[in-house]
Amino acid sequence: MKNRNRLSEETSPYLLQHATNPVDWYAWKPEAFEKAKAEDKPILVSIGYSTCHWCHVMERESFESEEIAAYMNEHFVNIKVDREERPDVDHIYMEACQALSGSGGWPLNCFLTPDGRPFYAGTYFPPKQAYNRPSWLQLLHNISKAYQTKRDVVEEQAERLLSHIRKADEALVRDAITDTSAETYFSTQYLQQLFKRAEERFDAEEGGFGGAPKFPGSMSIHYLLDYSVLNDSPAAREHALFSLDKMIMGGIYDQIGGGFARYATDREWLVPHFEKMLYDNALLVSVLSQAYKLTGFPRYEATIVETLDFIEREMTSPEGGIYSALDADSEGVEGKFYVWNKLEVEDVLGPQADWFCAFYDVTNDGNWEGHNILRRQAWLEDFAEVQGLDLAELRAALPGLKATLLEHRGQRIRPGLDDKILLPWNALQCSAYAHAFQALQKPEYGKRAVELAEFMLTKFRKEEEGLALLHTYKEGQAQYDAFLEDYALLIDALLAVYSINWDTQWIDKAAAYTDYVLDHFLDPEKRLFYVTSAEQKDIVMRRKDLYDSATPSGNSTMVGNLQQLGLLLDRADYRDLAVEMLLTMGKTMSRYPVSFARWVSCVLRQVHPPQEVAVVGPQAGALAQQINALFVPGMVVMASEEGNENYPLLAGKNGNSEPLIYVCRAYSCQRPVDTIDAFKAQLDTGI
């Protein structure tokens, strides 16, 4: 059979993995829908991503089968979608799958009418009937027959599912319409209520939230750190730091090469799902930077440095953008690249292997399926004391031993690399570099943040003129209109980059993109933002993404952007919209604070107005960097050699022969001071 597969023209590694399938795959492009309408065929849209294990399995079992492909090509128009390239498509059809089956996942296989309405959906289907599921070919026969002989049933099902999806977003905000009192939701009592509800999810024995599988929960930890200071909560601080410590010690953290895996399959953080995603590492670097500011603990600095070294070494493109992910599998075996046996470690490290193996829980029998996942069960100081070893000698030897094992591991067959460059994940990494620069004061991190910001503003532009952006980039080609999260996270990154070199162009660009988002994404009635712009016409409906799940939602990120820019530019319209959005989500947040962690952090800033700090005078930027190295939740800092009437925080302020620090709230400032100690004395946050 001649292969008419069109995916070889795409840039997504996931789509390219399917480019040699005998299935006549289309990308999510107009020609697929035109063909379905012209031939009156149902559409199969199959959604996954490059590091998805069961996506690979279904490809091997079904999509590489000539028999199955022939049936698919005759009876369906087949579309392959990378969920990371088209999250809007994934959101819509995942909702359909969950409505039909009560669960979801990837691969996601959804059957549509030619105009894009879903009428059936499921996840993995085996090549032969098994696991209480029909075979893939049986399902295809049934769907095709139903479409041809029971069109009225198909149409009814499609309308019912579409109606369900339309209502899904509204379910999160419906109850809030009846009570939008600022006194109710912007109070210390409400904050305490949110914390108590979040506390119910604490795993006090192993850290994190809930049981297995266990995800990092970076945004919730970030919220707890802020809450611990603003509401004087030792319990919040303790659980946030305890959770970070358990992850750093566990197998979810790559003890040799740095960087975190996607999640742990067990409660104790030992066994990761070995894929490494850019967004997880970016979010964890940001929250570790806050933890370091708060505590000064060397272990947080070391983890930040090792993780950013991993990003530079294994995830950074020659152009300076950051790749998306590393696969869990190597040679078709999950985790093979990362695990060890004791004999191998002894052979590589020689005489020092004994204490190294004891420190990292390496045994003859292994700690996972006969293999060893490196983890720490104690900090080096405690280990040295218990073992009666010289701490200084261990501390001096450890980096070299790890480097030796890393070099040895590098000779193995590496996991697959998803080398597409996504705008929102690069924006998260840009913010991570900026936060690491603030915390550790390492110039190279500030330099990388600025370079990455410039890369995004250049490579993702849709046109030479205008602000419109695209979502994904690879090898000189960007495509797919950018989504709300692209713009929201970019704005957040631009504001973070301002604090590196104090160039107000970054604030101006952030404001321009904020106005663009207001013009193209805002629902004027509900006062929340759609995932897609008004100009995007290739989906069956516009949806709103409200959950802070693996990554922050575009809506909650926009609330934070509006709050920051409202202060920096004295834009009452920005501040008012942020308040409206928080009030709309107030009741939902009170029920599920861990699922809306960035929203809750924005409520903290509403109840505890941020410190507004202006540093003006010679060498103002250097002094402002020292201020940014402190942990002051929500603080907004501007720095300039002289006053600037274009920015309210800098207007009417001057320095002396030394820079002066102005501490303000609601543009009401205390007397200026000229030292960090005097600055601290003016704060009421307890640092």
Side-chain angles (χ1 to χ4, degrees):
M1 181 181 70
K2 183 180 178 181
N3 182 18
R4 296 168 292 160
N5 192 319
R6 293 155 178 79
L7 299 186
S8 59
E9 302 167 8
E10 297 298 312
T11 59
S12 158
Y14 177 64
L15 298 189
L16 291 172
Q17 286 169 5
H18 292 266
T20 58
N21 294 166
V23 178
D24 183 16
W25 291 117
Y26 288 77
W28 187 275
K29 300 287 175 66
E31 60 177 330
F33 293 90
E34 292 165 3
K35 176 180 173 68
K37 290 173 183 176
E39 299 180 7
D40 191 25
K41 286 183 177 178
I43 294 169
L44 162 66
V45 57
S46 183
I47 304 173
Y49 55 103
S50 70
T51 59
C52 166
H53 173 74
W54 286 102
C55 299
H56 301 329
V57 172
M58 191 163 180
E59 178 189 17
R60 289 195 302 269
E61 293 176 341
S62 295
F63 301 147
E64 292 180 354
S65 163
E66 295 283 354
E67 176 191 4
I68 292 175
Y71 191 88
M72 292 172 65
N73 296 341
E74 181 178 354
H75 296 279
F76 298 89
V77 173
N78 305 292
I79 299 177
K80 255 293 168 196
V81 171
D82 183 334
R83 67 176 293 261
E84 295 163 356
E85 282 194 327
R86 293 303 303 257
D88 56 331
V89 173
D90 182 57
H91 288 163
I92 291 172
Y93 299 123
M94 184 60 73
E95 190 70 46
C97 183
Q98 290 171 334
L100 286 166
S101 66
S103 63
W106 298 275
L108 171 62
N109 293 292
C110 196
F111 295 90
L112 321 179
T113 59
D115 59 3
R117 291 172 297 145
F119 63 89
Y120 187 80
T123 55
Y124 166 79
F125 291 92
K128 296 181 179 180
Q129 186 173 352
Y131 319 119
N132 293 320
R133 298 172 185 234
S135 73
W136 179 237
L137 197 54
Q138 284 176 319
L139 180 69
L140 294 173
H141 280 295
N142 293 339
I143 294 293
S144 177
K145 183 176 180 181
Y147 186 82
Q148 295 169 16
T149 64
K150 299 180 179 178
R151 183 67 65 85
D152 56 336
V153 175
V154 167
E155 291 290 336
E156 181 182 350
Q157 176 87 319
E159 283 304 308
R160 188 161 56 245
L161 278 174
L162 209 59
S163 176
H164 171 87
I165 296 167
R166 287 194 183 100
K167 293 174 181 176
D169 292 337
E170 305 304 324
L172 290 175
V173 299
R174 187 184 303 130
D175 293 340
I177 304 302
T178 61
D179 182 1
T180 56
S181 165
E183 290 76 15
T184 298
Y185 294 123
F186 300 149
S187 66
T188 55
Q189 291 82 4
Y190 179 64
L191 291 180
Q192 291 167 357
Q193 175 189 345
L194 290 173
F195 174 70
K196 288 179 180 177
R197 184 58 64 89
E199 195 173 25
E200 294 171 1
R201 295 279 297 152
F202 287 4
D203 182 344
E205 294 182 8
E206 298 294 342
F209 305 89
K214 189 169 283 184
F215 293 81
S218 304
M219 287 171 280
S220 292
I221 294 172
H222 202 148
Y223 148 67
L224 291 178
L225 292 175
D226 287 352
Y227 181 86
S228 73
V229 171
L230 294 173
N231 278 60
D232 190 22
S233 173
R237 172 185 166 125
E238 179 182 343
H239 191 72
L241 299 180
F242 179 59
S243 299
L244 290 174
D245 289 349
K246 294 293 284 188
M247 282 187 276
I248 292 168
M249 297 173 80
I252 192 174
Y253 182 65
D254 183 349
Q255 303 291 336
I256 296 299
F260 292 84
R262 177 71 192 91
Y263 61 87
T265 62
D266 63 324
R267 182 184 170 198
E268 295 79 19
W269 305 103
L270 169 62
V271 184
H273 180 43
F274 288 89
E275 65 180 335
K276 288 181 174 179
M277 310 299 295
L278 174 59
Y279 57 79
D280 287 310
N281 286 281
L283 288 166
L284 281 161
V285 165
S286 288
V287 75
L288 285 163
S289 298
Q290 300 307 105
Y292 180 77
K293 287 184 184 182
L294 179 62
T295 66
F297 290 169
R299 59 180 175 263
Y300 299 145
E301 178 179 13
T303 308
I304 293 167
V305 170
E306 290 176 355
T307 300
L308 292 178
D309 284 350
F310 152 70
I311 294 294
E312 288 292 309
R313 184 180 65 246
E314 300 187 38
M315 300 288 284
T316 302
S317 76
E319 295 178 276
I322 316 296
Y323 299 135
S324 294
L326 283 171
D327 204 332
D329 295 1
S330 181
E331 301 180 74
V333 179
E334 183 173 358
K336 184 174 183 179
F337 182 77
Y338 297 100
V339 298
W340 301 85
N341 66 66
K342 190 175 182 182
L343 288 175
E344 183 182 16
V345 176
E346 291 172 339
D347 183 58
V348 174
L349 297 185
Q352 300 213 65
D354 285 350
W355 74 262
F356 184 94
C357 288
F359 182 55
Y360 282 110
D361 191 31
V362 177
T363 65
N364 289 321
D365 294 333
N367 56 20
W368 176 65
E369 297 184 356
H371 303 283
N372 290 283
I373 300 170
L374 300 191
R375 66 164 169 183
R376 289 173 277 184
Q377 295 176 293
W379 299 117
L380 191 63
E381 298 82 354
D382 299 326
F383 172 80
E385 182 177 353
V386 170
Q387 299 290 328
L389 299 172
D390 185 281
L391 176 61
E393 289 183 4
L394 300 189
R395 189 171 279 152
L398 190 58
L401 298 178
K402 291 169 63 174
T404 298
L405 282 181
L406 181 64
E407 182 180 1
H408 178 80
R409 192 178 75 178
Q411 299 169 19
R412 299 174 179 174
I413 296 176
R414 300 186 59 81
L417 172 68
D418 186 332
D419 61 353
K420 67 177 179 291
I421 299 172
L422 295 174
L423 177 53
W425 299 3
N426 275 251
L428 285 172
Q429 183 60 36
C430 180
S431 295
Y433 277 123
H435 296 149
F437 169 73
Q438 291 176 5
L440 306 184
Q441 301 287 291
K442 290 182 179 289
E444 61 267 31
Y445 296 156
K447 180 174 180 288
R448 283 295 290 124
V450 172
E451 290 172 347
L452 196 49
E454 292 171 343
F455 176 90
M456 292 186 290
L457 291 172
T458 302
K459 300 298 186 182
F460 289 91
R461 290 188 66 175
K462 188 173 183 179
E463 301 162 350
E464 285 298 318
E465 302 296 329
L467 296 174
L469 299 169
L470 296 166
H471 175 67
T472 181
Y473 172 87
K474 183 181 174 183
E475 298 173 354
Q477 180 181 348
Q479 64 175 338
Y480 297 120
D481 288 346
F483 308 106
L484 173 65
E485 66 168 352
D486 295 273
Y487 292 100
L489 292 170
L490 175 64
I491 293 164
D492 185 50
L494 296 177
L495 293 174
V497 168
Y498 167 72
S499 69
I500 294 168
N501 57 19
W502 312 108
D503 185 341
T504 54
Q505 69 156 322
W506 303 113
I507 295 177
D508 296 341
K509 290 178 188 295
Y513 275 110
T514 297
D515 289 335
Y516 183 90
V517 170
L518 290 169
D519 289 341
H520 294 82
F521 290 85
L522 184 65
D523 180 342
E525 295 182 3
K526 302 298 184 184
R527 307 296 284 171
L528 294 167
F529 294 98
Y530 290 108
V531 170
T532 51
S533 74
E535 287 73 27
Q536 189 176 325
K537 305 298 184 184
D538 66 347
I539 51 174
V540 72
M541 63 168 43
R542 297 177 76 192
R543 293 200 67 203
K544 300 182 184 78
D545 182 21
L546 302 172
Y547 285 100
D548 295 317
S549 50
T551 56
S553 81
N555 273 280
S556 65
T557 303
M558 281 307 301
V559 173
N561 295 338
L562 292 164
Q563 288 176 321
Q564 285 191 74
L565 285 166
L567 289 176
L568 290 168
L569 302 175
D570 193 18
R571 289 283 298 266
D573 56 333
Y574 287 177
R575 297 194 298 270
D576 290 346
L577 178 55
V579 167
E580 285 185 71
M581 294 173 71
L582 290 173
L583 291 176
T584 299
M585 294 296 292
K587 190 163 286 188
T588 299
M589 275 187 277
S590 67
R591 293 172 178 166
Y592 316 107
V594 172
S595 299
F596 295 89
R598 186 164 279 200
W599 287 96
V600 174
S601 292
C602 293
V603 176
L604 276 175
R605 287 196 288 273
Q606 202 66 40
V607 178
H608 298 281
Q611 304 284 352
E612 305 158 16
V613 181
V615 186
V616 183
Q619 302 300 312
L623 184 58
Q625 298 298 0
Q626 296 180 50
I627 291 171
N628 262 338
L630 303 171
F631 186 73
V632 186
M635 178 173 61
V636 174
V637 182
M638 293 196 74
S640 178
E641 299 285 316
E642 56 189 19
N644 188 330
E645 298 303 312
N646 293 323
Y647 302 93
L649 288 184
L650 300 175
K653 297 180 176 69
N654 297 291
N656 295 324
S657 57
E658 299 292 331
L660 294 178
I661 306 168
Y662 297 81
V663 179
C664 316
R665 272 193 174 178
Y667 305 109
S668 174
C669 300
Q670 302 181 53
R671 64 178 180 81
V673 296
D674 58 6
T675 68
I676 293 294
D677 287 341
F679 163 73
K680 289 181 181 180
Q682 291 189 337
L683 299 178
D684 59 3
T685 56
I687 66 169

